[in-house]
Amino acid sequence: MAAMARVDLDGNPIKPITICMIGAGGFIGSHLCEKLMAETPHKVLAVDVYSDKIRHLLEPASLPWADRIQFHRINIKHDSRLEGLIRMADLTINLAAICTPADYNTRPLDTIYSNFIDALPIVKYCSENNKRLIHFSTCEVYGKTIGSFLPKDHPLRQDPEFYVLKEDASPCIFGSIEKQRWSYACAKQLIERLIYAEGAENDLEFTIVRPFNWIGPRMDFIPGIDGPSEGVPRVLACFSNNLLRGEPLKLVDGGQSQRTFVYIKDAIEAVMLMIENPVRANGHIFNVGNPNNEVTVRQLAEMMTEVYAKVSGEPPLEKSTIDVSSKEFYGEGYDDSDKRIPDMTIINRQLGWNPKTSLWDLLESTLTYQHRTYAEAIKQATAKPVASS
Protein backbone atom coordinates (compact mmCIF):
# COMPACT_ATOMS: atom_id res chain seq x y z
CA MET A 1 0.00 0.00 0.00
CA ALA A 2 1.14 3.54 -0.71
CA ALA A 3 2.23 5.50 2.34
CA MET A 4 -0.28 8.31 2.86
CA ALA A 5 1.30 10.34 5.68
CA ARG A 6 4.20 11.87 3.77
CA VAL A 7 6.01 15.10 4.66
CA ASP A 8 8.47 17.19 2.66
CA LEU A 9 11.98 18.21 3.73
CA ASP A 10 10.54 21.12 5.72
CA GLY A 11 8.06 18.95 7.61
CA ASN A 12 4.98 20.02 5.63
CA PRO A 13 2.39 17.41 4.62
CA ILE A 14 2.69 16.34 0.98
CA LYS A 15 -0.62 16.55 -0.85
CA PRO A 16 -1.42 13.99 -3.55
CA ILE A 17 -0.85 15.41 -7.04
CA THR A 18 -1.46 14.36 -10.63
CA ILE A 19 1.67 14.02 -12.78
CA CYS A 20 1.71 14.05 -16.58
CA MET A 21 4.80 11.97 -17.36
CA ILE A 22 5.91 12.21 -21.00
CA GLY A 23 8.19 9.31 -21.88
CA ALA A 24 6.83 7.19 -19.03
CA GLY A 25 7.44 3.97 -20.95
CA GLY A 26 11.21 4.34 -21.06
CA PHE A 27 14.05 3.34 -18.75
CA ILE A 28 13.81 6.27 -16.32
CA GLY A 29 10.04 6.60 -16.61
CA SER A 30 9.44 2.95 -15.73
CA HIS A 31 11.49 3.18 -12.54
CA LEU A 32 9.88 6.50 -11.57
CA CYS A 33 6.38 5.10 -12.15
CA GLU A 34 7.25 2.08 -9.98
CA LYS A 35 8.36 4.33 -7.15
CA LEU A 36 5.31 6.59 -7.42
CA MET A 37 2.88 3.67 -7.43
CA ALA A 38 4.55 1.73 -4.61
CA GLU A 39 5.28 4.54 -2.17
CA THR A 40 3.06 7.57 -2.81
CA PRO A 41 -0.61 8.48 -3.35
CA HIS A 42 0.19 10.49 -6.50
CA LYS A 43 -1.57 9.82 -9.82
CA VAL A 44 0.30 9.41 -13.13
CA LEU A 45 -0.91 10.16 -16.64
CA ALA A 46 1.68 8.04 -18.44
CA VAL A 47 2.34 9.28 -21.98
CA ASP A 48 4.40 7.29 -24.49
CA VAL A 49 4.19 5.34 -27.73
CA TYR A 50 5.39 2.14 -26.00
CA SER A 51 4.30 0.57 -22.72
CA ASP A 52 6.39 -2.64 -22.57
CA LYS A 53 8.55 -1.48 -19.65
CA ILE A 54 5.55 -0.42 -17.52
CA ARG A 55 3.12 -3.18 -18.48
CA HIS A 56 3.60 -4.75 -15.05
CA LEU A 57 2.19 -1.52 -13.56
CA LEU A 58 -0.82 -1.39 -15.90
CA GLU A 59 -2.02 -5.01 -15.79
CA PRO A 60 -3.98 -6.66 -14.26
CA ALA A 61 -6.72 -4.21 -13.33
CA SER A 62 -6.72 -5.60 -9.79
CA LEU A 63 -3.37 -3.96 -8.95
CA PRO A 64 -3.67 -1.80 -5.79
CA TRP A 65 -2.70 1.34 -7.73
CA ALA A 66 -4.81 0.63 -10.82
CA ASP A 67 -6.90 3.78 -10.34
CA ARG A 68 -3.76 5.96 -10.02
CA ILE A 69 -2.06 5.28 -13.36
CA GLN A 70 -3.45 5.75 -16.87
CA PHE A 71 -1.54 4.99 -20.04
CA HIS A 72 -2.03 7.32 -23.02
CA ARG A 73 -0.50 6.09 -26.26
CA ILE A 74 0.47 9.42 -27.79
CA ASN A 75 3.13 10.55 -30.24
CA ILE A 76 3.84 14.04 -28.95
CA LYS A 77 4.89 15.24 -32.41
CA HIS A 78 1.32 15.53 -33.59
CA ASP A 79 -1.38 14.91 -31.03
CA SER A 80 -3.75 17.60 -29.80
CA ARG A 81 -4.56 15.58 -26.66
CA LEU A 82 -1.21 16.48 -25.09
CA GLU A 83 -2.25 19.96 -23.93
CA GLY A 84 -5.39 18.52 -22.32
CA LEU A 85 -3.32 16.05 -20.29
CA ILE A 86 -0.93 18.79 -19.17
CA ARG A 87 -3.92 20.89 -18.10
CA MET A 88 -5.31 17.97 -16.06
CA ALA A 89 -2.02 17.57 -14.19
CA ASP A 90 -0.35 19.59 -11.43
CA LEU A 91 3.15 18.70 -12.66
CA THR A 92 4.55 17.68 -16.04
CA ILE A 93 7.74 15.61 -16.26
CA ASN A 94 9.32 15.50 -19.72
CA LEU A 95 11.54 12.48 -20.30
CA ALA A 96 11.00 12.17 -24.06
CA ALA A 97 14.20 12.28 -26.11
CA ILE A 98 16.47 10.63 -28.60
CA CYS A 99 19.47 10.03 -26.36
CA THR A 100 21.67 7.37 -27.95
CA PRO A 101 25.11 8.58 -29.14
CA ALA A 102 25.02 6.36 -32.23
CA ASP A 103 22.00 8.38 -33.45
CA TYR A 104 23.62 11.80 -33.08
CA ASN A 105 25.78 11.26 -36.17
CA THR A 106 23.43 9.17 -38.28
CA ARG A 107 20.15 10.93 -37.38
CA PRO A 108 21.14 14.52 -36.49
CA LEU A 109 17.86 16.02 -37.77
CA ASP A 110 15.73 13.58 -35.76
CA THR A 111 17.99 14.24 -32.76
CA ILE A 112 17.52 18.02 -32.97
CA TYR A 113 13.78 17.78 -33.61
CA SER A 114 13.21 15.28 -30.79
CA ASN A 115 15.19 17.19 -28.18
CA PHE A 116 14.27 20.77 -29.11
CA ILE A 117 11.37 21.17 -31.56
CA ASP A 118 9.20 18.43 -30.03
CA ALA A 119 9.81 19.81 -26.53
CA LEU A 120 8.66 23.33 -27.43
CA PRO A 121 4.88 22.67 -27.13
CA ILE A 122 5.40 21.02 -23.73
CA VAL A 123 7.17 24.09 -22.39
CA LYS A 124 4.56 26.36 -24.00
CA TYR A 125 1.58 24.45 -22.55
CA CYS A 126 3.12 24.42 -19.06
CA SER A 127 3.85 28.13 -19.20
CA GLU A 128 0.44 29.16 -20.60
CA ASN A 129 -1.48 26.97 -18.13
CA ASN A 130 0.66 27.81 -15.08
CA LYS A 131 1.80 24.22 -14.62
CA ARG A 132 5.05 23.16 -13.04
CA LEU A 133 7.63 21.44 -15.28
CA ILE A 134 10.49 19.05 -14.49
CA HIS A 135 12.51 18.75 -17.67
CA PHE A 136 15.16 16.10 -18.23
CA SER A 137 18.23 17.44 -19.97
CA THR A 138 21.69 15.80 -20.04
CA CYS A 139 25.20 16.12 -18.67
CA GLU A 140 26.26 16.42 -22.33
CA VAL A 141 25.25 20.09 -22.28
CA TYR A 142 28.62 20.75 -20.63
CA GLY A 143 30.46 19.40 -23.68
CA LYS A 144 34.22 19.33 -23.27
CA THR A 145 36.03 20.31 -20.07
CA ILE A 146 38.31 23.35 -19.92
CA GLY A 147 41.10 20.97 -18.97
CA SER A 148 40.77 19.06 -22.26
CA PHE A 149 42.26 22.06 -24.09
CA LEU A 150 45.43 22.00 -21.99
CA PRO A 151 48.50 19.93 -22.94
CA LYS A 152 48.14 16.32 -21.77
CA ASP A 153 50.94 16.62 -19.22
CA HIS A 154 49.81 20.01 -17.89
CA PRO A 155 49.41 19.96 -14.06
CA LEU A 156 46.17 21.98 -14.20
CA ARG A 157 44.48 19.00 -15.86
CA GLN A 158 44.39 17.51 -12.35
CA ASP A 159 42.84 20.65 -10.83
CA PRO A 160 39.09 20.08 -10.18
CA GLU A 161 38.42 23.67 -11.27
CA PHE A 162 39.28 22.54 -14.80
CA TYR A 163 37.09 19.43 -15.01
CA VAL A 164 34.39 19.26 -12.27
CA LEU A 165 31.10 20.41 -13.84
CA LYS A 166 29.02 23.00 -11.98
CA GLU A 167 25.45 23.88 -12.96
CA ASP A 168 25.83 27.60 -12.27
CA ALA A 169 29.43 28.19 -13.37
CA SER A 170 30.80 25.71 -15.92
CA PRO A 171 30.77 26.81 -19.57
CA CYS A 172 29.20 24.69 -22.32
CA ILE A 173 31.99 23.90 -24.81
CA PHE A 174 31.13 21.97 -27.98
CA GLY A 175 33.04 20.82 -31.05
CA SER A 176 32.79 22.29 -34.54
CA ILE A 177 29.53 22.23 -36.50
CA GLU A 178 30.76 19.40 -38.73
CA LYS A 179 31.04 17.23 -35.63
CA GLN A 180 27.38 16.22 -35.64
CA ARG A 181 27.80 14.33 -32.39
CA TRP A 182 27.06 17.67 -30.69
CA SER A 183 23.59 17.96 -32.28
CA TYR A 184 22.12 16.35 -29.16
CA ALA A 185 23.95 18.54 -26.64
CA CYS A 186 23.16 21.75 -28.55
CA ALA A 187 19.45 20.90 -28.81
CA LYS A 188 19.33 20.08 -25.10
CA GLN A 189 21.15 23.27 -24.17
CA LEU A 190 18.82 25.42 -26.28
CA ILE A 191 15.67 23.95 -24.70
CA GLU A 192 17.25 24.56 -21.27
CA ARG A 193 17.78 28.21 -22.22
CA LEU A 194 14.18 28.49 -23.42
CA ILE A 195 12.83 26.99 -20.18
CA TYR A 196 15.04 29.31 -18.13
CA ALA A 197 13.79 32.29 -20.16
CA GLU A 198 10.16 31.23 -19.64
CA GLY A 199 10.89 31.21 -15.93
CA ALA A 200 12.47 34.66 -16.04
CA GLU A 201 9.87 36.34 -18.26
CA ASN A 202 6.63 34.39 -17.67
CA ASP A 203 7.15 32.90 -14.17
CA LEU A 204 7.20 29.28 -15.34
CA GLU A 205 7.93 27.03 -12.35
CA PHE A 206 10.62 24.66 -13.59
CA THR A 207 13.34 22.27 -12.54
CA ILE A 208 15.99 20.99 -14.98
CA VAL A 209 17.66 17.61 -14.40
CA ARG A 210 21.10 16.82 -15.85
CA PRO A 211 21.59 13.03 -15.54
CA PHE A 212 25.14 11.68 -15.43
CA ASN A 213 24.95 8.13 -16.83
CA TRP A 214 22.06 6.54 -14.93
CA ILE A 215 22.46 2.77 -14.96
CA GLY A 216 20.17 -0.13 -14.07
CA PRO A 217 17.69 -2.78 -15.23
CA ARG A 218 15.61 -2.01 -18.35
CA MET A 219 18.19 0.43 -19.72
CA ASP A 220 18.18 0.67 -23.53
CA PHE A 221 17.85 -2.58 -25.47
CA ILE A 222 19.73 -5.67 -26.59
CA PRO A 223 20.12 -5.59 -30.40
CA GLY A 224 18.18 -8.34 -32.16
CA ILE A 225 16.26 -9.29 -29.00
CA ASP A 226 14.17 -6.30 -27.92
CA GLY A 227 15.64 -3.73 -30.32
CA PRO A 228 16.82 -3.53 -33.93
CA SER A 229 19.64 -5.92 -34.90
CA GLU A 230 21.64 -3.05 -36.36
CA GLY A 231 20.96 -0.77 -33.39
CA VAL A 232 23.79 0.59 -31.23
CA PRO A 233 22.63 1.30 -27.66
CA ARG A 234 24.62 3.22 -25.02
CA VAL A 235 27.80 1.89 -23.50
CA LEU A 236 26.39 -0.33 -20.75
CA ALA A 237 23.92 -2.07 -23.05
CA CYS A 238 26.59 -2.36 -25.77
CA PHE A 239 28.96 -4.06 -23.36
CA SER A 240 26.12 -6.21 -21.95
CA ASN A 241 25.28 -7.35 -25.47
CA ASN A 242 28.91 -8.36 -26.07
CA LEU A 243 29.07 -10.24 -22.76
CA LEU A 244 25.79 -12.06 -23.37
CA ARG A 245 27.00 -13.17 -26.81
CA GLY A 246 30.49 -14.14 -25.65
CA GLU A 247 32.10 -11.44 -27.82
CA PRO A 248 34.97 -9.05 -26.99
CA LEU A 249 33.84 -5.63 -25.75
CA LYS A 250 34.52 -2.89 -28.28
CA LEU A 251 36.47 0.08 -26.88
CA VAL A 252 36.01 3.22 -28.95
CA ASP A 253 39.34 5.03 -29.37
CA GLY A 254 40.87 2.83 -26.68
CA GLY A 255 38.18 3.53 -24.06
CA GLN A 256 40.13 6.44 -22.58
CA SER A 257 37.13 8.73 -21.94
CA GLN A 258 36.27 9.05 -18.26
CA ARG A 259 32.71 8.77 -16.97
CA THR A 260 30.79 8.53 -13.72
CA PHE A 261 27.87 6.14 -13.25
CA VAL A 262 24.96 6.31 -10.81
CA TYR A 263 22.43 3.60 -9.95
CA ILE A 264 18.92 4.26 -11.26
CA LYS A 265 17.32 3.66 -7.84
CA ASP A 266 19.58 6.31 -6.24
CA ALA A 267 18.77 8.75 -9.05
CA ILE A 268 15.02 8.16 -8.71
CA GLU A 269 15.29 9.14 -5.03
CA ALA A 270 16.67 12.49 -6.23
CA VAL A 271 13.76 12.97 -8.65
CA MET A 272 11.26 12.14 -5.90
CA LEU A 273 12.77 14.89 -3.77
CA MET A 274 12.32 17.34 -6.67
CA ILE A 275 8.70 16.27 -7.16
CA GLU A 276 7.75 16.57 -3.49
CA ASN A 277 9.79 19.69 -2.59
CA PRO A 278 8.83 22.25 -5.23
CA VAL A 279 9.80 25.24 -3.10
CA ARG A 280 13.36 23.90 -2.84
CA ALA A 281 13.56 22.60 -6.43
CA ASN A 282 11.88 25.32 -8.52
CA GLY A 283 14.20 27.47 -10.59
CA HIS A 284 17.15 25.11 -10.16
CA ILE A 285 19.26 22.99 -12.47
CA PHE A 286 20.47 19.80 -10.78
CA ASN A 287 23.38 17.52 -11.62
CA VAL A 288 22.33 13.98 -10.68
CA GLY A 289 25.32 11.64 -10.70
CA ASN A 290 27.87 9.88 -8.53
CA PRO A 291 31.37 11.43 -8.64
CA ASN A 292 32.66 8.51 -6.53
CA ASN A 293 31.96 6.07 -9.37
CA GLU A 294 34.46 7.51 -11.87
CA VAL A 295 36.21 5.16 -14.30
CA THR A 296 37.58 5.16 -17.82
CA VAL A 297 35.44 3.28 -20.32
CA ARG A 298 38.24 0.68 -20.49
CA GLN A 299 38.06 0.21 -16.71
CA LEU A 300 34.28 -0.10 -16.99
CA ALA A 301 34.72 -2.88 -19.58
CA GLU A 302 37.15 -4.72 -17.31
CA MET A 303 34.80 -4.44 -14.31
CA MET A 304 31.78 -5.57 -16.33
CA THR A 305 33.70 -8.58 -17.64
CA GLU A 306 34.61 -9.58 -14.08
CA VAL A 307 31.11 -8.99 -12.70
CA TYR A 308 29.43 -10.87 -15.56
CA ALA A 309 31.66 -13.89 -15.03
CA LYS A 310 30.50 -13.90 -11.41
CA VAL A 311 26.76 -13.57 -12.07
CA SER A 312 26.67 -15.91 -15.09
CA GLY A 313 29.13 -18.55 -13.94
CA GLU A 314 30.76 -18.37 -17.37
CA PRO A 315 34.53 -17.77 -17.70
CA PRO A 316 35.54 -14.53 -19.46
CA LEU A 317 37.13 -14.55 -22.90
CA GLU A 318 40.90 -14.76 -23.00
CA LYS A 319 40.89 -11.50 -25.00
CA SER A 320 37.96 -9.62 -23.49
CA THR A 321 38.28 -6.27 -25.33
CA ILE A 322 39.18 -4.97 -28.78
CA ASP A 323 39.94 -1.39 -29.82
CA VAL A 324 37.94 0.29 -32.61
CA SER A 325 38.12 3.83 -33.94
CA SER A 326 35.23 6.23 -33.34
CA LYS A 327 34.90 6.64 -37.12
CA GLU A 328 34.52 2.88 -37.55
CA PHE A 329 32.05 2.55 -34.67
CA TYR A 330 29.97 5.74 -34.96
CA GLY A 331 30.76 7.04 -38.44
CA GLU A 332 32.13 10.35 -39.71
CA GLY A 333 31.64 13.40 -37.50
CA TYR A 334 31.94 11.78 -34.08
CA ASP A 335 33.56 13.67 -31.23
CA ASP A 336 33.58 13.13 -27.48
CA SER A 337 34.02 14.78 -24.11
CA ASP A 338 37.02 13.72 -22.05
CA LYS A 339 35.58 13.70 -18.51
CA ARG A 340 32.17 14.19 -16.95
CA ILE A 341 32.44 14.65 -13.19
CA PRO A 342 29.40 16.32 -11.55
CA ASP A 343 29.67 18.88 -8.79
CA MET A 344 27.04 17.92 -6.20
CA THR A 345 26.92 21.12 -4.16
CA ILE A 346 23.54 22.45 -5.33
CA ILE A 347 21.51 19.23 -5.09
CA ASN A 348 23.05 18.46 -1.72
CA ARG A 349 22.26 21.96 -0.40
CA GLN A 350 18.71 22.16 -1.78
CA LEU A 351 17.52 18.57 -1.42
CA GLY A 352 20.05 16.86 0.86
CA TRP A 353 20.60 14.13 -1.75
CA ASN A 354 23.70 11.99 -2.09
CA PRO A 355 24.10 8.76 -4.10
CA LYS A 356 24.73 5.55 -2.17
CA THR A 357 25.46 2.64 -4.51
CA SER A 358 29.01 1.70 -5.51
CA LEU A 359 29.90 0.99 -9.13
CA TRP A 360 30.52 -2.69 -8.40
CA ASP A 361 27.12 -3.08 -6.71
CA LEU A 362 25.19 -1.30 -9.44
CA LEU A 363 26.94 -3.38 -12.12
CA GLU A 364 26.20 -6.60 -10.22
CA SER A 365 22.50 -5.70 -9.92
CA THR A 366 22.23 -4.62 -13.56
CA LEU A 367 24.16 -7.54 -15.07
CA THR A 368 22.22 -10.04 -12.95
CA TYR A 369 19.04 -8.60 -14.49
CA GLN A 370 20.55 -8.64 -18.01
CA HIS A 371 21.64 -12.27 -17.67
CA ARG A 372 18.28 -13.45 -16.30
CA THR A 373 16.33 -11.48 -18.90
CA TYR A 374 18.34 -12.05 -22.07
CA ALA A 375 20.80 -14.98 -21.82
CA GLU A 376 18.37 -17.70 -22.88
CA ALA A 377 16.84 -15.58 -25.66
CA ILE A 378 20.28 -14.88 -27.10
CA LYS A 379 21.23 -18.57 -26.96
CA GLN A 380 18.08 -19.42 -28.90
CA ALA A 381 18.61 -16.60 -31.40
CA THR A 382 22.21 -17.60 -32.10
CA ALA A 383 21.76 -21.40 -32.05
CA LYS A 384 22.55 -23.01 -35.38
CA PRO A 385 19.64 -25.02 -36.81
CA VAL A 386 20.21 -28.75 -36.82
CA ALA A 387 20.49 -30.11 -40.35
CA SER A 388 17.74 -32.58 -41.22
CA SER A 389 18.86 -36.04 -42.38
Side-chain angles (χ1 to χ4, degrees), residues 17 28 55 78 108 112 119 146 165 169 193 195 215 292 296 316 321 337 346 348 351 354 361-363 370 385:
I17 61 171
I28 296 172
R55 187 167 290 132
H78 41 68
I112 292 166
I146 299 172
L165 302 170
R193 292 191 181 278
I195 292 167
I215 300 297
N292 298 317
T296 65
T321 63
S337 51
I346 294 178
N348 187 261
L351 302 175
N354 279 303
D361 287 346
L362 75 84
L363 289 177
Q370 300 282 55

Side-chain angles (χ1 to χ4, degrees), residues 72-75 78-86 125:
H72 298 265
R73 195 175 303 278
I74 289 177
N75 185 333
H78 41 68
D79 200 306
S80 58
R81 291 175 292 171
L82 182 61
E83 183 175 10
L85 292 172
I86 289 174
Y125 297 152

Side-chain angles (χ1 to χ4, degrees), residues 1-64:
M1 290 292 291
M4 304 304 288
R6 297 172 63 82
V7 295
D8 64 18
L9 291 173
D10 298 308
N12 303 308
I14 296 171
K15 296 178 182 177
I17 61 171
T18 298
I19 301 168
C20 177
M21 191 185 304
I22 301 165
F27 165 54
I28 296 172
S30 68
H31 285 275
L32 184 53
C33 284
E34 278 183 348
K35 185 82 168 176
L36 287 164
M37 293 303 102
E39 298 183 18
T40 82
H42 306 315
K43 295 181 179 179
V44 173
L45 307 175
V47 176
D48 212 317
V49 290
Y50 301 110
S51 60
D52 296 9
K53 293 181 180 181
I54 57 170
R55 187 167 290 132
H56 62 293
L57 300 174
L58 304 173
E59 302 170 359
S62 58
L63 288 167

Side-chain angles (χ1 to χ4, degrees), residues 160-352:
E161 285 297 316
F162 287 80
Y163 66 82
V164 173
L165 302 170
K166 301 178 180 180
E167 303 96 323
D168 57 351
S170 296
C172 302
I173 307 172
F174 303 141
S176 62
I177 296 299
E178 65 184 26
K179 300 293 187 182
Q180 299 222 68
R181 187 252 193 279
W182 299 109
S183 59
Y184 173 67
C186 287
K188 283 291 196 182
Q189 188 204 144
L190 189 53
I191 199 69
E192 278 198 29
R193 292 191 181 278
L194 183 92
I195 292 167
Y196 199 89
E198 281 285 356
E201 292 193 28
N202 296 322
D203 298 320
L204 172 67
E205 292 188 358
F206 72 87
T207 302
I208 292 171
V209 186
R210 290 180 180 167
F212 280 71
N213 298 298
W214 296 10
I215 300 297
R218 300 194 294 271
M219 181 181 180
D220 287 356
F221 60 91
I222 297 298
I225 303 299
D226 58 358
S229 297
E230 69 282 2
V232 182
R234 284 170 287 188
V235 64
L236 184 123
C238 264
F239 286 173
S240 296
N241 183 46
N242 296 142
L243 291 166
L244 286 158
R245 295 177 187 275
E247 302 168 346
L249 281 60
K250 294 180 179 178
L251 299 178
V252 176
D253 295 335
Q256 295 309 303
S257 295
Q258 292 171 274
R259 296 289 184 267
T260 60
F261 297 89
V262 65
Y263 191 38
I264 183 65
K265 293 188 183 301
D266 289 350
I268 292 300
E269 292 285 354
V271 180
M272 290 296 297
L273 287 167
M274 297 175 207
I275 291 170
E276 297 189 327
N277 293 273
V279 173
R280 289 172 174 255
N282 283 344
H284 286 286
I285 301 171
F286 292 118
N287 290 339
V288 181
N290 189 339
N292 298 317
N293 286 345
E294 182 195 1
V295 286
T296 65
V297 174
R298 178 176 290 277
Q299 289 169 329
L300 176 70
E302 292 167 352
M303 283 187 73
M304 288 183 67
T305 300
E306 186 178 351
V307 172
Y308 189 72
K310 177 186 174 185
V311 303
S312 68
E314 300 169 6
L317 293 176
E318 192 171 320
K319 183 174 172 56
S320 60
T321 63
I322 55 173
D323 290 358
V324 297
S325 70
S326 56
K327 183 177 180 180
E328 178 186 351
F329 194 81
Y330 288 117
E332 196 73 49
Y334 187 77
D335 197 8
D336 206 354
S337 51
D338 54 324
K339 287 169 78 91
R340 291 198 204 126
I341 315 298
D343 180 89
M344 306 301 291
T345 304
I346 294 178
I347 194 166
N348 187 261
R349 181 188 70 216
Q350 294 298 119
L351 302 175

